[in-house]
Amino acid sequence: MKSSLSALAILAVTLRSSLAAVAPGINNFVTLDITNKQLAPDGFMRSSYITSAVVRIVLTGDTIVDTVVANGRYPNPPIAAFKGQKLITTINNHLTDTNMRVSTSLNLDGVFTTSANAFNEVAPGNSYTYTHDLGNQAGSFWYHSDLGVQYVDGFRGPLIIYDLHDPHRSLYDIDNLSTIIQFGDWWHNASLGMLAGYEATGVVPVCDTGTVNGVGRFNGGPEVPWSVVNVIPGKRYRMRLINESARNVFTISIDQHQLTIIEADGVATQPLTVDVLEMLAGQRYSVVLTANQPIANYWINAPFTGGSPARNLNQNATLSRGILRYQGAPATDPTTPMTSGPADGIVFKEADLRPLVPETPPQPDITLNLDLTFVPGKVIWNVNNVSYVSPKDPTLLKVMAGQVDASTFDVTENTFILPANKTIQIEFPPTDDDDAHPLHLHGNNFWVIKSMTGDINDVNPIRRDTVGVGGSGTIIRFRTDKPGPWFFHCHIYWHKAAGLATVLLQDPDASRSTVQPSQAWNDLCPTYNALPADQH
């Protein structure tokens, strides 16, 4: 990965130097070569031969199915940037394996992008350069393909935006690329086949393996060495936890260590110490861990839920884990049992989080009620009785063509037109169970007025960009100060593919006037539309 971060900046991040001594450049150039590669994060090399939804047998002569990765790695290489930079990312699409999507796209989850960077589909053999002004954002983010369910095949990695003047800097000693811990679901089958199976049966695919920093094990599989996070006794670490899964909910703990939350989805929070932290798909947290225990190896526990294990006999959530290794400890597994985490202790509740800087959101000007429902007997999720279908002509192109109103958009675009500089409240009704849909809003974040398991808090709620919807109901609130058609969807990507999404179109007039298309941008759609069907 090429980057304009100076050698001094990279050294500062890598060697734990004070970031305040670094003067990063204005532009940060990154190149991601998107390729197919044969990888086996859990020791299993993917094959296109499938005998059933549960059991896989690899026979001589089977077609080996690749993965989709950036720069040949899974997880993809970390992108390191600094607050205030422009992140200029070039995607070179070298995909060829039509068992999966061979076009691609790039989404920086949680970054306040411009609408011109949204919904860009890069055809195979082509390149595209995205420019993101990072502005005042800092924290833990991630990037992935946003084309269909392609990131199931591996195109996903961390994006960390460092703050030279981090208000939490006094709480930790070390924050570098080695303190990123990524949690993901891994699938032995290629995404297109699983999506076709889902559409045919209505049964959401169940992953084979849970991974920690790209490493995992499954029932009966090889004993792939666990991922190891190294620490020095007495040091305090800012661990950046990222759930990069397409479905799974991970419950994170580290034996004999507490975790102090200081950030949620790129927003600084008041420190909150817990023993157990639940993370939905797409969510991120920074936690401070103090290496104050005897020199030894400790389990990083990451059991997950995401469908019935009976539907995939490979799955064993107990094997979703890594190792926290103190300097001076032997290079062996911990001697303690593998558990799902502490039997007692402080369990994280989202409603207990508070912003570091107190902020009372304005009262709503407009309230929307969104009801999420599944259509029995069909592979369809609805939002207010509408299942989202990606339009032939992108929403932004319709906005740029001239004045718009509700009649401009297909019903299945599920587009809500919102006026500029208003406060919008979205209310999700209670459900009969506590299963959470992780709803994620592109290009914005929002105040969480009511978490799905908490009470209303409109005095000092946290901001984030991915929130659980379900249980006793969820309420969020945001300002329409970022013009553009913003996708608002479930981060269970199988649900997204089945229509669980809307478009929140903020200030269409400003959207039209602020987008200045380049020739490369104008060429994207005709190039993509001219592709044969198997190259979409």
Side-chain angles (χ1 to χ4, degrees), residues 456-478:
I456 289 176
N457 172 13
D458 60 0
V459 176
N460 58 348
I462 60 162
R463 278 183 183 255
R464 66 182 318 161
D465 56 65
T466 305
V467 69
V469 171
S472 64
T474 304
I475 301 173
I476 65 172
R477 195 180 294 173
F478 63 96

Side-chain angles (χ1 to χ4, degrees), residues 255-276:
D255 286 357
Q256 299 182 41
H257 293 77
Q258 289 191 307
L259 308 174
T260 299
I261 301 167
I262 59 172
E263 175 222 342
D265 293 359
V267 178
T269 67
Q270 294 180 20
L272 176 67
T273 299
V274 300
D275 296 290
V276 179

Side-chain angles (χ1 to χ4, degrees), residues 83 134 136-141 161-163 240 263 265-268:
K83 179 179 176 179
L134 301 181
N136 289 320
Q137 284 191 279
S140 306
F141 305 87
I161 305 175
Y162 293 96
D163 185 352
R240 296 176 181 269
E263 175 222 342
D265 293 359
V267 178

